Amino acid sequence: MAIAKRLEALLEASGLPYEIQPHPRSDYSAQTARRSHVPLEQLAKPVLLADEYGYLLAVVPAASRVDLDRLGHQLHRRLELATEAEIDGLFRDCEPGALPALGEPWEIPTVYDDALRDLAEVFFEGGDHCDLVRMRGGDYLELLASALHGPISRPPEVDASY
């Protein structure tokens, strides 16, 4: 499949350098990191959230989880995980579960964790389970210039899935 067309259009229009890094098919973030030889801290993991105001894409390092209580308190919202049907309906040009860590191409507001701010390199799914986008950390943050950010993650629990 390669990367989603909307994502590719945004990346090309930005003029920022990026690479597509193929990897063996994977089904979840830790497996993606392992199979692509990328540290979990450098893999940006998007989590689609929803409430009565709409959708929000929260991006955290794959080694962490979104802290829904903290984020909801910061934004004065009652955010919950979006359903699989909602995700599939919004990201029709992506394989299920392979959301890119940028909401702009789908007109979804994005918030990111401050832990992503100091990374030399950032990797994220390109819309399928076989390709990562690799960018310099500063370039990735340039794409997120209009996004809110803050301390929105916490260490994973043993059974963490988001």
Side-chain angles (χ1 to χ4, degrees):
M1 174 178 167
I3 67 172
K5 295 297 179 199
R6 290 184 194 198
L7 175 62
E8 184 176 35
L10 173 75
L11 293 172
E12 289 299 319
S14 76
L16 297 168
Y18 69 94
E19 296 176 15
I20 303 302
Q21 182 174 314
H23 62 84
R25 184 170 184 80
S26 59
D27 296 315
Y28 52 91
S29 298
Q31 188 179 62
T32 300
R34 189 172 50 256
R35 290 186 176 176
S36 58
H37 308 288
V38 170
L40 274 172
E41 294 78 17
Q42 289 183 278
L43 182 61
K45 175 177 68 174
V47 178
L48 187 65
L49 305 172
D51 68 2
E52 67 271 15
Y53 300 108
Y55 296 101
L56 179 70
L57 192 69
V59 183
V60 299
S64 302
R65 296 177 62 128
V66 174
D67 187 331
L68 288 174
D69 291 334
R70 177 186 277 176
L71 180 58
H73 180 73
Q74 290 170 350
L75 298 177
H76 307 287
R77 294 175 70 173
R78 291 185 143 164
L79 295 160
E80 298 180 350
L81 294 174
T83 66
E84 294 289 330
E86 290 172 310
I87 295 168
D88 292 347
L90 291 168
F91 292 88
R92 293 174 197 247
D93 54 344
C94 298
E95 288 184 19
L99 307 181
L102 293 165
E104 183 180 336
W106 293 269
E107 299 179 3
I108 298 173
T110 303
V111 60
Y112 67 91
D113 189 80
D114 282 343
L116 297 170
R117 296 183 76 186
D118 297 322
L119 297 177
E121 284 188 310
V122 175
F123 298 80
F124 57 91
E125 293 280 4
D128 68 13
H129 293 283
C130 298
D131 294 292
L132 289 177
V133 176
R134 176 183 184 179
M135 298 186 78
R136 290 190 304 246
D139 292 341
Y140 175 68
L141 293 178
E142 191 173 322
L143 293 173
L144 291 171
S146 64
L148 296 174
H149 61 88
I152 65 165
S153 69
R154 61 185 166 98
E157 296 170 5
V158 175
D159 65 342
S161 60
Y162 61 92

